[in-house]
Amino acid sequence: SMLFGTQKYLKSEYSAIIAGVLSFAALETGDNVGFAMFNDKVTKFLEPSQDMSRYYLMLTLMVDPENWGGGCNLAEALKFLLEKLRERTILFIISDFIGVGEGWEDSLKMISAKLDRVFGIMIRDLRDTYLPKGAGYMRFRDPFTGKVKTVNVDKVRKKFEELAKKQEEHVERTFLSSKAAFIKIYTHQPFIEPLIKYLQMSEEYA
């Protein structure tokens, strides 16, 4: 579902930019940076390090479309990280949080209790939340099953937007109830200023 976009960037591209900026900023201040990519399992993992060559390897992995796609199992990814990461770690989870599987809520609570800080960064395209008016019939493909369906957008728009909002709110509530921070950013929006404010506010209330 990250290989989707109706704006300038795919969600995968926008997420890679944010991950790159955060990682570079951490390395500039002398912190170690680790990295993981996951679908239904963790597919790539780099141990935390200050080695700049690791940073460039991370960028290479993120811009390769072959490393994106497939299913999504956030619970398994968090369980993997729970065993790998030390307590004094700040974890950024960057995802659209669509189709993340079951049981991830408990895994999030466990890893939030262990680590210094956990941040959820939800990356959404406008069409994840809102459908265009007057679009008539459109064909949709499920990114996980490949199933295709033709839909009258005007008839399903209201229900779609209600369900999308409900799902987004569930993810946000779960992060906040787990004592983790959370922000949602759309791919058509600039992210530097809101992200800095978000991190500053999170630090104040940590």
Side-chain angles (χ1 to χ4, degrees):
S1 63
M2 295 291 284
L3 292 170
F4 173 76
T6 63
Q7 310 300 308
K8 183 178 179 180
Y9 298 107
L10 300 178
K11 287 182 284 182
S12 58
E13 294 172 324
Y14 198 80
S15 299
I17 293 169
I18 292 179
V21 168
L22 290 171
S23 299
F24 187 80
L27 290 169
E28 283 285 286
T29 58
D31 291 320
N32 293 339
V33 171
F35 172 73
M37 294 183 76
F38 71 97
N39 45 39
D40 54 353
K41 62 182 183 298
V42 174
T43 58
K44 307 291 179 185
F45 179 67
L46 302 177
E47 294 278 357
S49 168
Q50 289 185 18
D51 188 348
M52 282 299 293
S53 66
R54 288 285 190 91
Y55 169 72
Y56 292 115
L57 175 57
M58 180 189 82
L59 297 182
T60 300
L61 293 172
M62 286 193 296
V63 300
D64 186 348
E66 294 296 319
N67 292 328
W68 295 86
C72 184
N73 191 329
L74 180 57
E76 286 303 311
L78 294 177
K79 289 176 184 177
F80 175 88
L81 294 176
L82 193 61
E83 297 178 359
K84 294 286 185 179
L85 300 180
R86 298 178 180 179
E87 286 79 2
R88 294 188 62 186
T89 297
I90 297 174
L91 173 64
F92 292 91
I93 307 171
I94 307 174
S95 173
D96 62 6
F97 296 98
I98 292 175
V100 289
E102 299 179 354
W104 65 273
E105 295 92 342
D106 290 336
S107 297
L108 179 64
K109 290 177 182 178
M110 287 189 289
I111 202 165
S112 296
K114 176 182 178 179
L115 303 183
D116 265 6
R117 203 84 171 101
V118 174
F119 294 87
I121 302 179
M122 176 185 280
I123 306 300
R124 288 284 171 119
D125 186 271
L126 275 175
R127 297 301 168 232
D128 288 328
T129 311
Y130 307 101
L131 293 180
K133 295 181 180 180
Y137 286 88
M138 295 181 66
R139 289 171 64 83
F140 293 88
R141 183 175 67 85
D142 188 310
F144 304 111
T145 66
K147 183 179 178 181
V148 177
K149 188 172 185 179
T150 301
V151 176
N152 185 332
V153 173
D154 293 321
K155 287 187 176 181
V156 302
R157 182 189 304 105
K158 183 178 179 180
K159 185 66 174 179
F160 174 89
E161 294 178 359
E162 287 175 353
L163 291 174
K165 183 179 179 181
K166 182 178 179 181
Q167 192 267 340
E168 291 174 5
E169 289 175 345
H170 170 69
V171 174
E172 181 174 8
R173 282 197 307 270
T174 302
F175 269 85
L176 297 181
S177 66
S178 301
K179 308 302 181 186
F182 179 87
I183 187 174
K184 179 176 73 174
I185 306 175
Y186 285 101
T187 56
H188 69 288
Q189 298 173 326
F191 67 86
I192 292 294
E193 186 173 339
L195 191 58
I196 290 174
K197 289 181 179 179
Y198 161 69
L199 295 174
Q200 290 173 338
M201 289 177 61
S202 298
E203 184 66 25
E204 290 175 5
Y205 291 102

